[in-house]
Amino acid sequence: MPTFITYDGTELAYHLQGDGEPLVCIPGGAMRASTYLGDLGGLADGRLLILLDLRGTGDSAVPADESTYRVDHQVGDVEALRAHLGLERMDLLAHSAGGNLAQLYAAAHPERLRRTVLVTPTAWAVDLPVVAEDRLEGARLRAGGEPYDTAIAAYERILGDTAHGEEDWELAAPVFYGNWDATARAHWAANARQQNEKAAEAYAGPGAFDPPATREALRRVAGEVLVLAAELDGNPRPALAARLATLFPRGSVDVQPRAGHFPWLDDAAWFADRVERFLAAGA
């Protein structure tokens, strides 16, 4: 397991999968160990995946100053990894909440990115929040059968801030996946041991974002950016993903059919082919 020392002396780990041109991968969660990304639906067949464990997650050390869990402080970690790898420019993939870290990195270091893939990303960094109705719109696309009707009802209780408990999160889990099969159930169950909850609470804390400045800085990103949404996902809905893509001079959007928030699990071949085609030849 390779490691490197980042800007504040914290030792961070990353994991290598596959062979080929390197692709730096930022996990979401927020603050979930990178192991949940797996081989990204077989993307490792043609790429060397460099899967970063964010500070305090997976095999990376807990920082001396835990206020650095805030996402803007982690931009320096991504830049330290790039320098450690000796990459003048890099291809970057970020998932979900990790999309905010990628957006902040792009704003700070636009010259270091070749092509960027944002997979079902949140976009708090540019003030494109997902509201409850967006989330429910995606969930309700599966209405009319079980376990989805029960899951939707539980999700409505959670998002409506009505009386709910941990059991409602377990009931709601199917709405986050396109296929609620054994793979999805195991993937969901692993989250509890893979996520640093304390770090997740700090990730988007006060002061983390300056959306006007970030939007302005993203205009300097010369590399191509693909925002990959999923048809059945509510976080974000495809329309919001399209709005995020417009903030980049060379941004584009695509939507994976019949997929949820973890699209590489729902149709691995579609996902890996689409991402590889973009990385190889652009939009």
Side-chain angles (χ1 to χ4, degrees), residues 111-122:
E111 74 287 354
R112 296 302 187 185
L113 294 173
R114 193 181 80 99
R115 293 194 173 106
T116 302
V117 184
L118 303 177
V119 180
T120 58
T122 51

Side-chain angles (χ1 to χ4, degrees), residues 91-149:
D91 290 333
L92 183 69
L93 180 147
H95 174 243
S96 190
N100 295 281
L101 179 49
Q103 291 155 45
L104 293 180
Y105 180 83
H109 302 282
E111 74 287 354
R112 296 302 187 185
L113 294 173
R114 193 181 80 99
R115 293 194 173 106
T116 302
V117 184
L118 303 177
V119 180
T120 58
T122 51
W124 313 314
V126 291
D127 195 26
L128 290 177
V130 175
V131 299
E133 193 52 43
D134 292 333
R135 294 173 183 263
L136 290 172
E137 179 183 319
R140 287 167 179 158
L141 293 173
R142 255 83 62 83
E146 293 295 347
Y148 298 108
D149 287 349

Side-chain angles (χ1 to χ4, degrees), residues 19-23 46-49 91 114:
D19 189 26
E21 290 295 315
L23 175 63
R47 292 273 160 180
L48 174 61
L49 304 185
D91 290 333
R114 193 181 80 99

Side-chain angles (χ1 to χ4, degrees), residues 59-98:
D59 293 310
S60 287
V62 171
D65 179 1
E66 294 188 2
S67 71
T68 61
Y69 285 139
R70 205 177 70 180
V71 60
D72 55 321
H73 295 299
Q74 297 190 59
V75 171
D77 296 341
V78 179
E79 176 61 3
L81 174 59
R82 182 204 61 77
H84 166 77
L85 296 170
L87 299 173
E88 186 67 21
R89 298 175 72 210
M90 63 180 175
D91 290 333
L92 183 69
L93 180 147
H95 174 243
S96 190

Side-chain angles (χ1 to χ4, degrees), residues 221-280:
V221 177
E224 291 186 86
V225 178
L226 173 65
V227 182
L228 183 59
E231 180 184 9
L232 303 177
D233 190 20
N235 185 25
R237 294 296 298 138
L240 189 64
R243 290 175 62 193
L244 174 59
T246 66
L247 300 182
F248 298 92
R250 302 178 69 192
S252 61
V253 65
D254 205 349
V255 181
Q256 181 168 331
R258 300 176 299 281
H261 194 62
F262 307 91
W264 63 91
L265 296 179
D266 297 317
D267 188 336
W270 193 102
F271 177 88
D273 177 71
R274 182 66 186 92
V275 174
E276 177 56 39
R277 282 190 288 113
F278 171 76
L279 293 174

